[in-house]
Amino acid sequence: EDRKTKVLKVATSVSVGTDDADVQIQQLTKENTFGSDIIFPLLRAASDPKEQVAILEIASRLQHRMFDIKEVVPAVLDGSLTFKYCNKPKTSVFSSSSRMTSMTDLAKAMSSTKLNDLQRSESSGSLQDEEDEDPNVTMTNLVKICNTMSDVQGDMDAFKALLKGFPQYTGNAARCDSGPANVLSILVLQDYSEADQDSLAKSIEQLLSRNLEELEKADIRRVSFTVSKSGDEDQHPLPFVFTFRETADFKEDQLYRHIEPTVAYQLEMLRLTKNFSVTCLGDHLSPSGQIYLYKATPKSSALAHDKKANRSPRIFARAVSFINEFSAGTFEQLLIEAFNAIDSVKTAVPPGDNHLFINIVSASPSTIIDPVDVEKVVSTILKRHSERASRLGIAEVEAKAVCRLAEDESHPISLRLVSSNPTGFVQVMNTYVEALDQSESKRIFKSIGGTKASLACSGDSSWADLDITTPYPLTRHFDAQRKAAMRSSDTLYCYDLPALFEAAVESQWASTAGAGTQPDMVMYTTELVVKKKHGGSWTMADYADGELELAETQRKAGKNDVGMVAWLMTIKTIECPTGRQVVLIANDITHKAGSFGTREDVVFKMASEYARKKRIPRLYMAANSGARIGLAEGVKKTFKVAFKNPESPESGFDFLYVSKDDYERLGVARKELIAEPFTHKGEEVFKITDIIGSEPDLGVENLKGSGLIAGETSSAYDDIFTLTIVLGRTVGIGAYLVRLGQRTIQKVSSSPIILTGYQALNKLMGVDVYSTNDQLGGPAIMYSNGISHLAVNDHLSAVTSAIHWLSYVPAVRGGLLSITNISGVDEIERPVTFEPKAGVPYDPRLLLIGQEDANGDWHGGFFDKGSFTETLAGWAKSVVVGRARLGGIPMGVIATENRTVENVKPADPADLTASEAVIQEAGCVWFPNSAYKTAQAINDFRTEDLPLIIFANWRGFSGGQRDMFDEVLKYGSLIVDAFVKFQQPVFVYIPPHAEIRGGAWVVLDASINESVMEMYATADSARGGVLEANGAASVKYRAKDMLATMHRLDEKLKKLDAELQERVCEVERQEVLDSIKEREQALLPVYEQVAVQFCELHDTPGRMQAVGVIERAVEWKESRSYFYWRLRRKLAEFDLRKKLLETYQVGRGETITPVEASKVIKGWFLETPGATNALWNDDKAVLSWIAQQSQTLEAKIVKLNRENVVQEVFEVMTAGGNTAKIGTAGIIEGIAQALLTMSPEDQAHVRAMIGKSLNI
């Protein structure tokens, strides 16, 4: 009622001709107050015919807001309105030569004058409407109010009288050269029911068919009837709308029934009808726009061309909104209303493959819509509502907007944004503009931007270069591959994987406090394609001959002809906002089931080598079926069998053979088999001894390729950061690649890591023992045995975990650590307030992360709050390993579990006598599995270039029979091996109330690798020694020693001892001895404690420091601050030491050890005025010195490097004999070759240096 009141008020102003009537109409337009649902109630509520015509004028102006209205002529007595109008300037299109790769390029192009207009296209078929007309053509629209249909149907003259309102009919104007241009609109006030609409349309068709000549004479292109629909008084149903066009001989096209003619063009309905039979499901009028719903059933003609397409109906929703100002709010409101409309009818159509089209139409030429803003808004809002879109089965959301940068200067450009969710996790946006094709005769979609996964070579940009009227396909691009991947192993199509990385990086930016502003582009991808250097197809033989190269290529998704795909990805993470590079390798499980043939092996090998050459991380997305198996099909169709008894084949056979002709063809000409001549039944045949085959990759050659990539992966683990993400089953060589790459993230469902499938094992054993591959290699096995470091729920979680893991790792191997800003998250100089209690078991993770008490107060741990990520948590639970940050610096961490844990070994279904074994493992003890876990973690941290801290609390190794048999000694030794190779700082720290004993100390001692390792202990409460105090006392402070101590210290015993000496009588002596024994027994318990305490005092931090086995004792509360500065100092020192060591790598001269290099640096420090030995132990002072003296230190290294070069040349030239001759000639030849690579200026400079040095 409020809307009706507002419109009636404006209608009154229009009818009386007030000065601000136009302004009031514009305000109604902005508010979207006037809709077709209230037009008939308004006409009935009008006070007089003049007001009725005013309502017509308002309605006509709103409906034709996209046109330039020239003149309005009301005819109050006739109840009609005539207005003349023409098209506004068209949207512009880009020429075929325009190069645009970003929204910035688009904005620049829109401001230029080098755009083209395209004339009316014949491809729009029956929907050619006013919108196609030339802006210079003036059109006439006559709108007439009728009380009933009989007003125009009952009397032929009444209809002809209407046509007299058109100047062409009366001869006052010529007909339009380009075709009929006028419109007749009739509004019928009489109510009709839903059941009447078909008969009503038929009667109108008959009326128009009788007046075809008259309509042609009036130059009419379209007749529309808007008829009132019966309904409740409180409800205002949308009216019936029937449209009849001249192009269809004025017969109704039911596709456009109940769509306002001026809106129909904006819905692009013709793109539906080519491949689908369309049925209207209803329409919805909302404050944001008009929404139309259709049930689209694939046509048989379309199914004939796409036999694998989904035959089920789907929903096509079309929404159009006329706006005066584009905003996130208006778009989101229309999107939600469209979702609500689909939700109301989705039960009528099977879920899935639904499509939503939203057209944002500028209601005014002054509306400014920036394409950059549109893309950001649409992308953000669709991501926000992606879950609901998935629930509604919406596979694609298409948004169209005509953008303009300025009111007068800028060209209007049609922007098209297509959003889909191919992975089920991430909305992928593709952005297009309309451009001319190469022939410059039609409009096509030109890819311009979108989510970064859609650029370059990943994601679905299938609309690119298509005609803008291209029908919607039954099957979207890559749907078949996606379904095949899902069916094969519940995984994703490989070209959809980069989209997950983009989403994971964006999620990292969004979820990290104080991360700063996210870059517009967080990811770039380039596909790495193996090519033959001189063109053509390639094989493994070409790789062996060195004829292949790995090229960075920009190509569309799905162009691969190999089941292995690789990308070079640049991702802008919080730690590397300028970008870091990663090589991503993935199996294409839709290509021969993702099996490894020789070509797949070559792609994997070369992509991995590429990563090693650039020293960047290599990620492998595993989903495969192992090495490829094939058969020689040509021979298979030809061979014959020499049966022992041809009449009884079941008796067996002797051999396989081919006829002479087949041998000539297959053996001699094609070399597909090897055979020997044989006489069989009097006929010369050839007995097959070897089948070679003509097809590639049939058998053992694939195993050779598997060996190639196995060796490559092993080398890559040592050289760079390697990580495998298991997203589907991975078999055979695929499983070995998982282990050889070491670090593994495994999806918990349908992603087993196996050597042989369960069906093959069942067949081998002759009984169905296993029912799924997960029993052999699912997370319950692989996460529990340490193959998988992390187990995650889905694909996106796996990629998110990988991005998080990368955040700890330098961008390149040997590069700077990725240090983050912890402002607002934690403080560096804060105390560690969580403290364990003596003798009370606790979760060791609390040492690292802290804990919230019962009052909600936070007690901080050692590391930055929220920075610890545990890995290998399912395996060897008596040790905790992971990564964390200390003051923003990433570190590896190993901590001892002090509580008893369970080690569960499952029963093998293949062994009927087996049962699940649950083994209790005591805390603070290394068992075979936990020792191996420790060694593996140290190696992982080494190849990630992470410094390491160990919170050590081990009483030793488990030395029982079972554990000795299970090789605890071997795995304990691996810890030492791992430490020896370590190159970053290692801190071994004994936390409060913890201890290191015996063999545990041996494998942790700093002397193992004194160049990097240091040991520390918590002041007062930490302990360390060969044996625990109780054990040491039982061995080294036995009963006789305790008795001696008693007699030395106890006054009563002293007196009894003196009294015993004085007694001579044996009876008296015995009495004293009894008293002494009684006293000893009374004192023994307390002296046992004394003995333990005495032994324990040998294990204190004070003694450890005094004998030089630890650097110093560190208070637990101060440990965070101390180790932060110690770590910073060590990292700076190690960086300087690395440069120093490199200077000694010239030739065969003298080398120095890292320890000696550190002594050289210390010598340089002590040369600085005011520096002392004591100050060398002040981490802040040394760190400050390295920073302040950086140029001086660099000069010293350059000087040292030069001296080493001089010394090397001197030793070569003065070595005597052939060594001097060959060496001197080699040096001179090297100088000559180097000169050839230099510029003339550099050559002159070198010659001058030689001349000056040699005085020549």
Side-chain angles (χ1 to χ4, degrees), residues 652-671:
F653 68 95
D654 292 321
F655 56 87
L656 306 182
Y657 68 92
V658 292
S659 66
K660 184 176 181 180
D661 291 341
D662 289 335
Y663 177 72
E664 292 293 335
R665 179 171 56 87
L666 296 174
V668 178
R670 300 184 186 176
K671 308 295 184 185

Side-chain angles (χ1 to χ4, degrees), residues 824-859:
V825 177
D826 208 336
E827 298 177 3
I828 295 170
E829 302 285 357
R830 66 159 173 83
V832 180
T833 53
F834 171 79
E835 185 162 358
K837 296 179 180 179
V840 179
Y842 63 94
D843 187 343
R845 297 165 187 80
L846 301 180
L847 292 173
L848 317 178
I849 64 177
Q851 183 184 36
E852 193 175 272
D853 63 18
N855 299 322
D857 296 327
W858 179 256
H859 298 278

